[in-house]
Amino acid sequence: MRIVVALGGNALLRKGEPLSMENQQKAIAGAARSLADAIYAGHHLVITHGNGPQVGLLALQSLAGPQESMLPLDVLGAESEGWIGYELELALRNALPEGAAVVTVVTQTLVDANDPAFAAPTKPIGPVYEEAIARGLATEHQWPMVKDGHGWRRVVASPKPLGIVEIASIKRLINTGVTVICAGGGGIPVRAGADGKLAGVEAVVDKDLTGALLAKQAEADLFIMLTDVAGVYLDYGGKEQRAIASSGPKDMIAHAAGFRAGSMGPKVEAACAFVQETGQSAAIGALSDLADIIAGRRGTLILPNGGKISFHYPEPEQPRHGGITEIPPEKHF
Ligand code: ADP
Ligand code: MG
C-alpha cells in the first residue's frame, strides 16, 4: 500500500520532555524503527511531520541575535524542516539496508494571504511557560499566548494549506519508489502575489491538514496520523470516555465539537477531508501501534463506507496523558 504517514510531536519528542538533542534523537530513532518495519512489510511510505516545539525554539534563538537579524517564521519553518528532515532521514537510513532510497524535500505550502486565520492565531509553538514569564513575553514581543496544559504557549496564525508547491517533483520521486520525507511542519507557508510571484508569510501551517493534501495528491491508499494517544475518543477526559474504533466521515464530523481545536480537531478534519475527497481510508493512532493500525486492528479508522461510530471493546489502554490538557484559544491574553 502507498501510505502517507504524518508524525506528531510525540514521534519527535515526548510530551513534557525538554527539547534536548538526546531526547529528540531517541524519539526519532524509535519512530524510524516503526517506519522501517512498515517498509519491510512491503508498504511504500511518504512521511511528513510536525514542528511545533522545534520552530518555537528556533524563534527564541533568533531573538538572542541582533534585532536586524531576526528571522521571520517562514525562514524558521524552513530551518525546522531541514533540521527534523535531516534527523528523520538519518535515523531511517540507519534502520534500513545500506543505500536505501530516502530523501528529504524542503517543501513550500501555498496559503491565502487573506485567510481569516491571520487575524486569530491558534497554533501553539515553542515551550510551555509559567504564567508570569508568558505575560512578560506577550508584552515584550506582542505574542498572543494561550493556556496549554499547566502552562502557557505562544500561538501563531495557521492558515489553510491550498497547495504543495513542489508536488510534481515529489510525485516523480514517489513514483520511482523513493521514500520521501516532505511537507514537514505543514510546509513553509508562501502566498502568491497578483503577478503569481511567491513570497513567504509569517505563519505555521497545520501538518495534519497539509498531510491530507499530500495524501490526496500523492494518491495514497491510506493516510495515517501518528500521535501520543491510541486514537480518537468521545467525551475525552470525561466520565463517558470511549475509544472510537471506526466511523464514516459523516458521523465523525457530526461529533466535531468534541475534538479540540489545535490538536484532535485538525486531525479529524484532515482525515474526513481525505476520505471524502478520495474514497480511501484514514487512521489516527499511536506511533507504537503503526503495524496494527495498518492492519486495521488498532487506532481510529475513518472509512469511506464506515457508517456510524463504533467503539473499541474492550477498551484499549487509556490515553497516556489522560484528561484534557488544552484550553480553547479564546483564552488569549
Ligand atoms: P500531535 O503533535 O501529534 O499533532 P496534538 O497535541 O496536536 O499532537 O494532538 C494530540 C492530542 O490531542 C492528544 O495528546 C490529546 O491530549 C488531544 N485530544 C484532544 N481531544 C481529543 C480526543 N477527543 N481524543 C483523543 N485525543 C484528544
Ligand atoms: Mg498537532
Side-chain angles (χ1 to χ4, degrees):
M1 265 199 293
R2 182 177 288 183
I3 308 175
V4 168
V5 180
L7 298 171
N10 184 53
L12 307 169
L13 185 74
R14 275 168 235 296
K15 235 175 222 164
E17 274 190 356
L19 181 49
S20 69
M21 283 310 289
E22 197 191 343
N23 289 341
Q24 184 167 296
Q25 279 168 352
K26 224 187 278 166
I28 288 183
R33 278 193 295 275
S34 297
L35 296 170
D37 284 346
I39 294 171
Y40 278 124
H43 301 296
H44 186 182
L45 303 189
V46 180
I47 300 159
T48 186
H49 58 83
N51 73 344
Q54 293 80 6
V55 78
L57 176 68
L58 292 171
L60 289 172
Q61 291 177 341
S62 170
L63 278 176
Q67 180 74 23
E68 68 274 19
S69 307
M70 279 257 285
L71 299 174
L73 270 177
D74 56 321
V75 175
L76 298 175
E79 280 191 23
S80 71
E81 218 184 336
W83 162 13
I84 301 163
Y86 149 63
E87 284 205 61
L88 256 177
E89 185 186 315
L90 183 136
L92 208 48
R93 279 187 189 288
N94 288 340
L96 289 171
E98 204 179 318
V102 186
V103 76
T104 306
V105 179
V106 174
T107 311
Q108 299 170 31
T109 298
L110 194 66
V111 302
D112 180 355
N114 298 315
D115 191 308
F118 286 104
T122 53
K123 170 95 190 160
I125 63 166
V128 178
Y129 297 107
E130 283 174 17
E131 183 168 345
I133 296 170
R135 283 190 186 281
L137 289 166
T139 313
E140 194 180 341
H141 306 296
Q142 280 83 56
W143 285 352
M145 307 287 279
V146 68
K147 186 120 207 276
D148 189 5
H150 300 298
W152 295 79
R153 285 179 89 186
R154 178 185 175 191
V155 280
V156 299
S158 194
K160 286 232 169 344
L162 303 178
I164 295 168
V165 174
E166 298 86 350
I167 193 66
S169 306
I170 290 171
K171 278 178 78 169
R172 239 175 273 155
L173 286 168
I174 294 171
N175 289 336
T176 55
V178 175
T179 300
V180 183
I181 300 166
C182 64
I188 305 156
V190 297
R191 63 173 172 82
D195 58 359
K197 301 273 188 243
L198 299 176
V201 293
E202 285 265 354
V204 176
V205 181
D206 184 86
K207 67 115 185 8
D208 296 314
L209 297 181
T210 306
L213 194 60
L214 175 67
K216 182 180 161 190
Q217 297 195 319
E219 294 168 70
D221 305 299
L222 178 61
F223 170 41
I224 304 181
M225 285 161 275
L226 295 177
T227 183
D228 58 357
V229 281
V232 187
Y233 294 76
L234 282 192
D235 192 32
Y236 181 61
K239 284 207 182 92
E240 304 286 312
Q241 174 172 299
R242 289 211 281 171
I244 300 172
S246 72
S247 172
K250 274 205 183 128
D251 206 28
M252 282 305 268
I253 292 165
H255 289 85
F259 313 130
R260 294 261 158 159
S263 62
M264 199 43 79
K267 285 189 211 308
V268 172
E269 185 187 340
C272 293
F274 173 72
V275 173
Q276 285 182 321
E277 286 166 29
T278 65
Q280 305 289 358
S281 306
I284 298 166
L287 173 68
S288 51
D289 291 340
L290 179 58
D292 281 339
I293 293 170
I294 295 172
R297 280 192 292 265
R298 300 205 74 168
T300 297
L301 305 180
I302 319 290
L303 306 169
N305 304 311
K308 291 229 171 281
I309 286 177
S310 72
F311 297 97
H312 279 288
Y313 186 82
E315 282 276 297
E317 76 259 30
Q318 295 295 301
R320 288 227 324 257
H321 302 286
I324 289 168
T325 54
E326 304 97 314
I327 297 243
E330 53 275 14
K331 291 275 158 73
H332 287 175
F333 61 72

